[in-house]
Amino acid sequence: MINVAIIGASGYSGSELLRILLRHPEVSVTTVTAASSAGLPVDQVYPALTGECELTYKPLLPDDLAGADVAFVALPSGEAMKIMPKLQTMVGKVIDLGGDFRLKDTAQYEKYYKHQHASPEFLPGAVYGLPELNREAIANATLVSNPGCYATSIILGLLPLAAQGLVSLKGISVAAVSGISGAGRSSSVDMSFTELNENVRAYKLTTHQHVPEIEQALAAAASGAEVTVSFVPHLVPITRGIHSTIHATLTKESDARAIQDAFALYYALHPFVRVRKNPVQIAAVTRTNFCDIHPVVEARTGQVVITSVIDNLVKGAAGQAIQNMNLMFGLKETTGL
Amino acid sequence: MINVAIIGASGYSGSELLRILLRHPEVSVTTVTAASSAGLPVDQVYPALTGECELTYKPLLPDDLAGADVAFVALPSGEAMKIMPKLQTMVGKVIDLGGDFRLKDTAQYEKYYKHQHASPEFLPGAVYGLPELNREAIANATLVSNPGCYATSIILGLLPLAAQGLVSLKGISVAAVSGISGAGRSSSVDMSFTELNENVRAYKLTTHQHVPEIEQALAAAASGAEVTVSFVPHLVPITRGIHSTIHATLTKESDARAIQDAFALYYALHPFVRVRKNPVQIAAVTRTNFCDIHPVVEARTGQVVITSVIDNLVKGAAGQAIQNMNLMFGLKETTGL
Amino acid sequence: MINVAIIGASGYSGSELLRILLRHPEVSVTTVTAASSAGLPVDQVYPALTGECELTYKPLLPDDLAGADVAFVALPSGEAMKIMPKLQTMVGKVIDLGGDFRLKDTAQYEKYYKHQHASPEFLPGAVYGLPELNREAIANATLVSNPGCYATSIILGLLPLAAQGLVSLKGISVAAVSGISGAGRSSSVDMSFTELNENVRAYKLTTHQHVPEIEQALAAAASGAEVTVSFVPHLVPITRGIHSTIHATLTKESDARAIQDAFALYYALHPFVRVRKNPVQIAAVTRTNFCDIHPVVEARTGQVVITSVIDNLVKGAAGQAIQNMNLMFGLKETTGL
Amino acid sequence: MINVAIIGASGYSGSELLRILLRHPEVSVTTVTAASSAGLPVDQVYPALTGECELTYKPLLPDDLAGADVAFVALPSGEAMKIMPKLQTMVGKVIDLGGDFRLKDTAQYEKYYKHQHASPEFLPGAVYGLPELNREAIANATLVSNPGCYATSIILGLLPLAAQGLVSLKGISVAAVSGISGAGRSSSVDMSFTELNENVRAYKLTTHQHVPEIEQALAAAASGAEVTVSFVPHLVPITRGIHSTIHATLTKESDARAIQDAFALYYALHPFVRVRKNPVQIAAVTRTNFCDIHPVVEARTGQVVITSVIDNLVKGAAGQAIQNMNLMFGLKETTGL
């Protein structure tokens, strides 16, 4: 059995990790930490887990992590980089669900996250945990940086096209909508039911912190070509799910067939990406680790429109982190998912 | 008092017309027709109107319309063109909320609506009823063709830029989300609560019938320049509202200020468009005839991102139709709205 | 014109007062106060009011109220009783939307509200502002205590039966569901979208503070008979509306007719109560001041089941307060509503 | 492996059976039938199952069922009784999710279901499939009649009290709310998103077909005492879940402790019922087979208020049916759930 610690287990990503790992056949969750809920039984904060989980949240103390084979860090961005120096001395493998180790360029980090990086020495060794891009490197990594939720959906929608040079990588535009759980377990008026129900609104127009991570991953897939993405995220009144709609300009005459083939080829051996002939929908991936993708060529405008859906808490966070864990421990990628 | 007939008054657009017109100070609703509900009191189908409306739905018989000063037609697209020859002999002014008289080019109509046009002789005289584009022509029209809901939101988001040549009119991309009332009063499994709740899905990718109407209106504003728009509509689980997110490429170095000025200037005398400095949201326009617009320049990518919101049943249908009626009868544009 | 001050105008009840009063033909809103939003323009907090309201929130200073003909107090329960002594010296008529002046018995107040009453000297003169029970007294009052939202829905569902002795007043049971706006503008995790969406839960089982107010009003209607109500409120994921389901035991053989007649008679001259032959629904009263009621006799069990719906922010708060204001100023009860 | 056939597999209960059984370690689903979708691959109707299910819906032909060890019937009430004579010759064990075999008294059946019973000869042998009431009989049954969704929630909320005589069994009143999936996969306007969203309404007041089944089960638990329940079901805008609120009169002085003890004792060995000290909520049981129950004594009125929640598609339908299957095949009750 793999002994697992979850650091920051009382938020939505942390509790989703717990929900899935409790049923994972090769895992034993030994420690769950949470600052504000320390001392409370897990099932008091998440009554759905009553009878399934006897753990109690602890404060984060390094000694409690001794014996863990892997630690998942589900803290707000900016926290993981503070604890990483100590954490890596205690636990051999770390999977960080936040944004601290995703960007190779600290200047980009500081521009989008609005604070300095506290432990840049980990950046060279951190592997960006998108299995459909970096499967082998993940298997050998000791620090995996799990992708952002929007980023997962958008990168997967463009990877085959970037890899084969089928679209212009400058001037890609994306509008994506997210369920509210993506904003975390929050006590602000802005996140209250009455403010969000029967409402849709964009936020962080052109400034969202997933932009550089998307550009970095697509550039890697395209052998370093320059990539610019204009991205607008939106909140819609659902709990789970991301739907991304991507417009890109075809680089040459192409037809639906060529695009469809590029997707089919790229994802043939990736079990969690399903390329669809019909429009995708969030409900088809809810509570699963799948990403469903539907590319459409519009000959009239010379564009390809890709729609891509995931569950933000599963393929966009906890599920993908467990997919990474499976790879890091030599398990079948789909185990427990 | 203006005597009003509503043809097709039992659908959502028709009942919204009724809801607003019952409180309009210059209007008396004299006739409401509905095929399937003929013979039923209005308040049996819409209990919210109990005590506010004593009318009974009638079948559509031309003689019943004698005496009406204006008829609103809220039938499914394809129906208005069949009755228009007779209707215009009975009623001096007609406002059609469907798509039959929006496109000047019957080839475009037949491509997007998938059937032949039955009365093209009305097309030259029909005025596209977007007051922010055609206020004077509307005031003098006998047949006004009310814009589509998505089209209203998108055209208003681009009009000032098209008029001043501030963006490239080829390669505009739009992703818009709509509340479910936009699909009409429907009995299909696809429109059932369980299929739509906690779900988001795109539909009619690149083939929606509002595309040619958007391109036609923007071309008119841009003195006939060629316009191509790639448009993806989506359904989100709310009842009312449209949120459009528009990406366009700036034609030259421009800053937020220039774009903001173009919007401020264009809409200075249009009471129902509010140009915003902060991100817009559907909830701010629900049950109103306002369109809220927020343009953002992204210097890094050379794009402008415009977000635009309306209530699809008000500014996107019934409210705009009444705004047009006000203009046609010489009333203040905002009367009763 | 009646000069109106709204104290506590930035919450949901306060902003609903503002929304309705801005269109009331006999009213001018002169002052709006709000503690946390003081200094902000109203339309910054409620963008929906942009272009309709030029006011700025002020801190609550007695001198600012000079010249007001009436003050609405929309503060959390416990606040109005602190300011009432000063307030009544400044403004001749006060309508309090909170719970401080509803109960004649301070022991009941302290039991359910969990703190002492600060100004019991106002209780004898305060009139319980349910026009369907106290229309004349309201017209002559200087301090009207507006009923609670649940209480309005439940009392109206039972008034005719209590007045005519048609049901046993002991052992009435009520289950009611409320939209989330009833909880106020809140920043707690419990009121966040993700916690409430796709969820239903009861709260304050048997201990809700509207219980004594319901019992007091029904006892008054029944000439002082003893009344006990067992009440369970629930939260459901909608923004507005209350649906109450009431079970009471018939006192003697009775049929649907007798019950229906009692309702018809009692409410014949009350314009905002609609007695229905078909099941009621929240959507039929949303954004209106109506209360729809549907009584059903179940002969098999000897019970009458009454369902009753209101909009918690209108008939359950702001609308009823304005209905009271209309009565207090000799206007038609329905003016502006 | 147990070979399973699902008859009526394209509705919500049928597809939920499929979703759970596909992961059940002891089961192989061999046949799925569906009238309207016959010939379609399952994953075309339920895209969420893509990659998890290769089956195609077949028309219902008896020969296709040869070899099945058990058949689940998930047809609308009234259909199972027509096919049962033939079905029991083909398949040794049948679990019917509809209402045809729940009531021992055909007069009650005909009163509530509004048609004659076609195969009353099966009623004596049919076992009411509530494991918490009939675990042993289920284990030995060849025909199990799975309880109704509301009935499951309400009976479980009262069983310990009925068994110990702690409440009066006459005059119990219940108000329950259900998610919309309980109404089945439907194409009526009444079930459309726009009609149900932001709305709550009661239906079948006092006439719901689960009433006699509740009374029959409680009478059995109470050694045949007479039981009358006044029941009002409601629709609320969520997809899954039932919340029942039950009022019953205590038979003698009792305190919260005695009631709590009765629940704890009764359910000590029933793994899917969790007796709670805090108010229950639907979200805590969604997609699980749990029933959470919270009893509260109100000394002031002499009543006990029980709130009880389930997922209508799991413990209220497919999950409970699989729990019954586990018992019928000698498996651990919780296997695969």
Side-chain angles (χ1 to χ4, degrees):
Chain A
M1 298 294 274
I2 304 166
N3 288 322
V4 167
I6 304 173
I7 298 172
S10 69
Y12 292 137
S13 292
S15 68
E16 187 75 1
L17 278 167
L18 196 50
R19 185 181 73 85
I20 302 174
L21 289 171
L22 286 171
R23 300 189 160 216
H24 192 292
E26 307 291 339
V27 160
S28 171
V29 180
T30 53
T31 307
V32 291
T33 83
S36 58
S37 301
L40 296 178
V42 167
D43 63 3
Q44 188 168 326
V45 180
Y46 288 97
L49 294 175
T50 301
E52 308 205 33
C53 179
E54 308 284 305
L55 295 162
T56 293
Y57 293 115
K58 296 183 181 175
L60 175 54
L61 299 172
D63 289 350
D64 292 341
L65 303 175
D69 299 306
V70 59
F72 291 91
V73 183
L75 297 173
S77 290
E79 298 301 313
M81 65 188 184
K82 295 181 195 162
I83 65 168
M84 192 56 61
K86 189 138 210 176
L87 185 58
Q88 280 231 328
T89 67
M90 303 294 301
V91 185
K93 296 178 199 286
V94 174
I95 301 168
D96 177 32
L97 283 77
D100 288 0
F101 302 103
R102 293 181 194 150
L103 302 178
K104 296 301 175 192
D105 179 349
T106 55
Q108 288 283 69
Y109 181 83
E110 287 160 17
K111 174 180 171 193
Y112 281 93
Y113 288 84
K114 313 287 185 200
H115 51 240
Q116 275 206 297
H117 203 291
S119 50
E121 67 275 20
F122 290 96
L123 294 176
V127 175
Y128 189 68
L130 189 73
E132 293 77 10
L133 179 63
N134 291 328
R135 188 151 47 185
E136 278 183 48
I138 292 164
N140 299 309
T142 54
L143 171 54
V144 166
S145 179
N146 215 51
C149 49
Y150 286 118
T152 296
S153 163
I154 295 162
I155 296 167
L156 291 176
L158 285 163
L159 264 189
L161 307 181
Q164 295 197 17
L166 294 172
V167 295
S168 169
L169 294 172
K170 300 185 69 167
I172 292 169
S173 62
V174 184
V177 303
S178 174
I180 310 299
S181 64
R185 201 148 182 270
S186 162
S187 62
S188 75
V189 169
D190 279 357
M191 292 299 125
S192 69
F193 184 88
T194 306
E195 299 294 317
L196 293 166
N197 185 42
E198 294 298 289
N199 200 2
V200 175
R201 61 180 171 85
Y203 65 105
K204 292 191 182 177
L205 292 94
T206 78
T207 65
H208 195 279
Q209 68 274 14
H210 291 179
V211 168
E213 158 184 0
I214 296 164
E215 293 176 348
Q216 174 182 281
L218 293 177
S223 310
E226 194 185 348
V227 181
T228 58
V229 172
S230 180
F231 169 48
V232 181
H234 306 71
L235 292 180
V236 291
I238 63 176
T239 296
R240 285 165 174 257
I242 285 177
H243 185 295
S244 297
T245 298
I246 305 165
H247 279 88
T249 305
L250 297 166
T251 43
K252 48 184 170 181
E253 285 289 334
S254 180
D255 58 12
R257 178 103 216 192
I259 299 287
Q260 192 87 22
D261 286 351
F263 276 94
L265 178 67
Y266 194 99
Y267 290 120
L269 298 178
H270 288 287
F272 289 118
V273 177
R274 301 186 294 202
V275 182
R276 299 284 201 176
K277 295 221 163 60
N278 294 309
V280 299
Q281 55 183 311
I282 281 177
V285 298
T286 306
R287 290 179 181 252
T288 80
N289 200 48
F290 289 112
C291 175
D292 282 2
I293 299 177
H294 174 58
V296 173
V297 166
E298 184 177 30
R300 195 179 68 91
T301 62
Q303 300 220 309
V304 57
V305 176
I306 304 114
T307 46
S308 161
V309 290
I310 59 169
D311 183 322
N312 58 300
L313 291 179
V314 189
K315 184 62 176 169
Q320 183 150 263
I322 292 164
Q323 184 182 359
N324 283 322
M325 180 200 75
N326 288 339
L327 292 170
M328 294 165 86
F329 285 87
L331 302 175
K332 199 175 161 206
E333 200 168 345
T334 55
T335 310
L337 286 168
Chain B
M1 298 295 273
I2 304 166
N3 288 322
V4 168
I6 304 173
I7 298 172
S10 68
Y12 291 138
S13 292
S15 69
E16 187 76 0
L17 278 166
L18 195 51
R19 184 180 75 85
I20 302 173
L21 289 170
L22 286 171
R23 300 188 161 218
H24 191 293
E26 307 290 339
V27 160
S28 171
V29 180
T30 55
T31 307
V32 290
T33 83
S36 58
S37 302
L40 295 178
V42 167
D43 62 5
Q44 187 167 326
V45 179
Y46 288 96
L49 295 175
T50 302
E52 306 206 34
C53 178
E54 309 282 306
L55 294 163
T56 293
Y57 293 116
K58 296 183 181 176
L60 174 54
L61 298 173
D63 289 351
D64 290 341
L65 304 176
D69 299 306
V70 60
F72 292 90
V73 182
L75 298 173
S77 289
E79 297 301 312
M81 66 188 182
K82 295 181 194 160
I83 64 169
M84 191 56 61
K86 190 140 210 174
L87 185 57
Q88 280 231 328
T89 66
M90 303 294 301
V91 185
K93 296 177 200 285
V94 174
I95 301 168
D96 178 32
L97 282 78
D100 289 0
F101 302 103
R102 293 180 194 151
L103 302 178
K104 295 301 178 194
D105 179 348
T106 54
Q108 288 282 69
Y109 180 83
E110 288 160 17
K111 174 181 170 191
Y112 281 93
Y113 288 85
K114 314 287 185 199
H115 50 239
Q116 276 207 296
H117 204 292
S119 49
E121 67 275 18
F122 289 95
L123 294 176
V127 175
Y128 188 67
L130 189 74
E132 292 77 10
L133 179 63
N134 291 326
R135 186 149 50 185
E136 278 184 48
I138 291 164
N140 299 309
T142 55
L143 171 56
V144 166
S145 179
N146 215 53
C149 49
Y150 286 117
T152 296
S153 163
I154 296 163
I155 297 167
L156 291 176
L158 285 163
L159 264 189
L161 306 181
Q164 294 197 19
L166 294 172
V167 294
S168 168
L169 294 173
K170 300 184 71 168
I172 293 168
S173 63
V174 184
V177 303
S178 174
I180 311 298
S181 64
R185 201 150 181 268
S186 162
S187 62
S188 75
V189 169
D190 278 359
M191 291 300 125
S192 70
F193 183 88
T194 307
E195 300 295 317
L196 293 166
N197 186 41
E198 293 298 288
N199 201 3
V200 174
R201 62 179 171 86
Y203 65 104
K204 291 191 183 177
L205 292 93
T206 77
T207 65
H208 195 279
Q209 68 275 11
H210 290 179
V211 168
E213 156 183 3
I214 295 164
E215 292 177 347
Q216 175 183 282
L218 293 176
S223 311
E226 194 185 349
V227 181
T228 58
V229 173
S230 179
F231 169 49
V232 182
H234 305 71
L235 292 180
V236 291
I238 63 174
T239 295
R240 287 163 174 258
I242 285 177
H243 185 296
S244 297
T245 298
I246 305 165
H247 279 89
T249 304
L250 297 166
T251 43
K252 49 182 168 181
E253 285 289 333
S254 179
D255 58 10
R257 178 103 217 193
I259 299 288
Q260 192 86 23
D261 286 351
F263 276 94
L265 178 68
Y266 194 100
Y267 290 121
L269 300 178
H270 289 286
F272 289 117
V273 177
R274 302 186 294 201
V275 183
R276 298 284 199 176
K277 295 221 164 59
N278 294 309
V280 298
Q281 55 183 311
I282 281 178
V285 298
T286 307
R287 291 180 181 252
T288 80
N289 200 49
F290 289 112
C291 176
D292 282 3
I293 298 176
H294 174 58
V296 174
V297 166
E298 183 177 30
R300 194 179 69 91
T301 62
Q303 300 219 308
V304 58
V305 177
I306 305 113
T307 45
S308 161
V309 290
I310 59 169
D311 183 322
N312 58 299
L313 292 179
V314 188
K315 184 62 176 171
Q320 184 150 263
I322 293 165
Q323 185 182 0
N324 283 322
M325 181 199 76
N326 288 340
L327 292 170
M328 293 165 86
F329 285 87
L331 302 175
K332 198 177 163 204
E333 200 168 344
T334 54
T335 311
L337 285 168
Chain C
M1 298 296 272
I2 303 166
N3 288 322
V4 167
I6 304 174
I7 297 172
S10 69
Y12 292 138
S13 292
S15 69
E16 187 75 2
L17 278 167
L18 195 51
R19 186 181 74 85
I20 302 174
L21 289 170
L22 286 170
R23 300 190 161 216
H24 191 293
E26 307 290 338
V27 159
S28 171
V29 180
T30 54
T31 307
V32 290
T33 83
S36 57
S37 301
L40 296 178
V42 167
D43 63 4
Q44 187 167 326
V45 180
Y46 288 97
L49 294 175
T50 303
E52 307 204 33
C53 178
E54 309 284 306
L55 294 163
T56 293
Y57 293 115
K58 295 183 182 176
L60 174 54
L61 298 172
D63 289 350
D64 291 342
L65 304 176
D69 299 306
V70 60
F72 291 90
V73 183
L75 297 173
S77 290
E79 298 301 313
M81 64 188 184
K82 296 180 194 162
I83 64 168
M84 192 56 61
K86 189 139 210 175
L87 186 57
Q88 280 231 330
T89 67
M90 303 294 301
V91 185
K93 295 178 201 284
V94 174
I95 300 169
D96 177 32
L97 282 77
D100 289 359
F101 302 103
R102 293 180 193 150
L103 302 178
K104 295 302 176 193
D105 180 348
T106 54
Q108 288 282 69
Y109 181 84
E110 288 161 16
K111 174 181 171 191
Y112 282 93
Y113 288 85
K114 314 287 185 199
H115 50 239
Q116 277 206 297
H117 204 292
S119 50
E121 67 275 18
F122 289 96
L123 295 177
V127 175
Y128 189 68
L130 188 74
E132 292 77 10
L133 179 63
N134 290 327
R135 186 149 49 186
E136 278 184 47
I138 292 164
N140 298 311
T142 55
L143 170 56
V144 166
S145 179
N146 215 51
C149 50
Y150 286 117
T152 296
S153 164
I154 295 164
I155 297 167
L156 292 176
L158 285 163
L159 263 188
L161 306 182
Q164 294 197 19
L166 293 172
V167 294
S168 169
L169 293 173
K170 300 185 69 169
I172 293 169
S173 62
V174 184
V177 303
S178 174
I180 311 299
S181 64
R185 201 147 182 269
S186 162
S187 63
S188 75
V189 169
D190 280 357
M191 292 300 125
S192 71
F193 183 87
T194 306
E195 300 294 318
L196 293 166
N197 186 39
E198 294 297 288
N199 200 3
V200 175
R201 62 179 170 88
Y203 65 105
K204 292 192 183 177
L205 292 93
T206 78
T207 65
H208 195 279
Q209 68 275 11
H210 290 179
V211 168
E213 158 184 1
I214 295 165
E215 292 176 349
Q216 175 183 280
L218 293 177
S223 309
E226 194 186 348
V227 182
T228 58
V229 173
S230 179
F231 169 49
V232 182
H234 306 71
L235 292 181
V236 292
I238 64 175
T239 297
R240 287 163 174 258
I242 286 177
H243 185 295
S244 297
T245 298
I246 305 164
H247 280 88
T249 304
L250 297 166
T251 43
K252 48 182 170 181
E253 285 290 334
S254 179
D255 58 9
R257 178 105 217 191
I259 299 288
Q260 192 85 23
D261 286 352
F263 275 94
L265 179 67
Y266 193 100
Y267 290 120
L269 299 179
H270 289 286
F272 288 118
V273 178
R274 301 186 294 201
V275 183
R276 298 285 200 176
K277 295 221 164 59
N278 294 310
V280 298
Q281 55 183 311
I282 281 177
V285 298
T286 306
R287 289 179 182 252
T288 79
N289 201 48
F290 288 113
C291 177
D292 283 2
I293 299 176
H294 175 58
V296 173
V297 166
E298 183 178 28
R300 194 178 70 90
T301 61
Q303 300 219 309
V304 57
V305 176
I306 304 113
T307 45
S308 161
V309 290
I310 59 169
D311 184 322
N312 58 298
L313 291 179
V314 189
K315 183 63 175 171
Q320 184 150 264
I322 292 164
Q323 184 182 358
N324 284 322
M325 180 200 76
N326 288 339
L327 292 170
M328 292 165 86
F329 285 87
L331 301 175
K332 198 176 164 205
E333 199 168 345
T334 55
T335 310
L337 286 168
Chain D
M1 297 296 272
I2 304 167
N3 287 322
V4 167
I6 305 173
I7 298 172
S10 69
Y12 292 137
S13 292
S15 69
E16 187 75 1
L17 278 167
L18 196 50
R19 185 180 74 84
I20 302 173
L21 288 170
L22 287 170
R23 300 188 160 216
H24 192 292
E26 307 291 339
V27 159
S28 172
V29 180
T30 54
T31 308
V32 291
T33 83
S36 57
S37 301
L40 296 177
V42 166
D43 63 4
Q44 188 167 326
V45 179
Y46 288 96
L49 295 175
T50 302
E52 307 206 32
C53 179
E54 308 284 304
L55 295 162
T56 294
Y57 293 116
K58 296 184 179 174
L60 174 54
L61 297 173
D63 289 350
D64 290 343
L65 304 176
D69 299 307
V70 59
F72 291 91
V73 183
L75 298 173
S77 290
E79 297 302 313
M81 65 188 183
K82 295 180 195 161
I83 64 168
M84 193 55 63
K86 189 139 210 174
L87 185 58
Q88 280 231 328
T89 67
M90 303 295 300
V91 185
K93 296 177 198 286
V94 174
I95 301 168
D96 178 32
L97 283 78
D100 289 359
F101 302 103
R102 292 180 194 151
L103 302 178
K104 296 301 177 192
D105 180 348
T106 54
Q108 289 281 68
Y109 181 83
E110 287 161 15
K111 174 180 171 192
Y112 281 93
Y113 287 84
K114 313 287 186 200
H115 51 240
Q116 275 205 297
H117 204 291
S119 50
E121 67 275 18
F122 289 96
L123 294 177
V127 175
Y128 189 68
L130 188 74
E132 292 78 10
L133 179 63
N134 291 327
R135 189 150 47 184
E136 279 184 48
I138 292 164
N140 299 308
T142 55
L143 171 55
V144 166
S145 178
N146 214 52
C149 50
Y150 286 118
T152 296
S153 164
I154 295 163
I155 296 168
L156 291 177
L158 286 164
L159 263 189
L161 307 182
Q164 294 197 17
L166 294 172
V167 294
S168 169
L169 294 173
K170 301 184 68 167
I172 293 168
S173 61
V174 183
V177 303
S178 175
I180 311 298
S181 64
R185 201 148 182 269
S186 163
S187 62
S188 75
V189 169
D190 279 358
M191 291 301 124
S192 70
F193 184 88
T194 307
E195 299 294 317
L196 293 166
N197 185 41
E198 293 299 288
N199 200 3
V200 175
R201 62 179 170 86
Y203 65 105
K204 292 192 183 177
L205 293 92
T206 78
T207 65
H208 195 279
Q209 68 275 12
H210 289 180
V211 168
E213 157 184 1
I214 295 164
E215 293 177 347
Q216 174 182 281
L218 294 177
S223 311
E226 195 185 347
V227 181
T228 58
V229 172
S230 180
F231 170 48
V232 181
H234 306 71
L235 292 180
V236 291
I238 64 175
T239 296
R240 287 164 174 258
I242 286 178
H243 185 296
S244 297
T245 299
I246 305 165
H247 279 88
T249 305
L250 297 166
T251 42
K252 49 183 170 181
E253 285 289 334
S254 179
D255 59 10
R257 178 101 217 196
I259 299 287
Q260 191 86 21
D261 286 350
F263 275 94
L265 178 68
Y266 193 100
Y267 290 121
L269 299 178
H270 288 287
F272 288 118
V273 177
R274 300 187 294 202
V275 182
R276 299 284 201 178
K277 294 222 164 59
N278 294 310
V280 298
Q281 54 183 311
I282 280 177
V285 297
T286 306
R287 291 180 181 251
T288 80
N289 200 48
F290 288 113
C291 176
D292 282 2
I293 299 177
H294 175 57
V296 174
V297 166
E298 184 178 29
R300 194 179 69 90
T301 62
Q303 302 219 308
V304 57
V305 176
I306 304 114
T307 46
S308 161
V309 290
I310 59 170
D311 183 323
N312 58 299
L313 291 179
V314 189
K315 184 62 176 169
Q320 183 149 264
I322 291 165
Q323 185 182 357
N324 284 321
M325 181 200 75
N326 287 340
L327 292 171
M328 294 165 86
F329 285 88
L331 302 175
K332 199 176 161 204
E333 199 168 346
T334 55
T335 311
L337 286 169

